[in-house]
Amino acid sequence: MPRSSGKSCDEYPFASTWQGARYSGGPFSRRMINATQNTDAGRALNGFYTYSRVLDGDRFLVWMR
């Protein structure tokens, strides 16, 4: 996917999970979004992992609204 200036690739399921495109080989969605927002979202996700004590292999639910 071509990368425009100020953009970065965002994916779902999250790349940091076993269901992400890197590991699963299954269906996933990706899109170029604002790089700053993507970085901020990644930090927030990492904060969730830390605060909720999510360890490698733990299951968690994502609710979209």
Side-chain angles (χ1 to χ4, degrees):
M1 180 173 278
R3 190 172 294 201
S4 302
S5 178
K7 301 283 186 176
S8 68
C9 187
D10 190 33
E11 62 286 324
Y12 188 85
F14 307 122
S16 57
T17 67
W18 287 103
Q19 293 176 329
R22 182 178 196 178
Y23 301 108
S24 72
F28 60 92
S29 173
R30 66 178 185 233
R31 181 163 297 208
M32 298 304 289
I33 64 168
N34 178 284
T36 302
Q37 291 176 342
N38 198 15
T39 298
D40 290 346
R43 285 189 184 123
L45 181 59
N46 189 50
F48 161 74
Y49 291 152
T50 301
Y51 179 80
S52 301
R53 298 181 179 167
V54 176
L55 302 175
D56 188 26
D58 283 353
R59 292 174 176 245
F60 61 92
L61 182 63
V62 176
W63 286 346
M64 306 292 266
R65 56 179 178 151

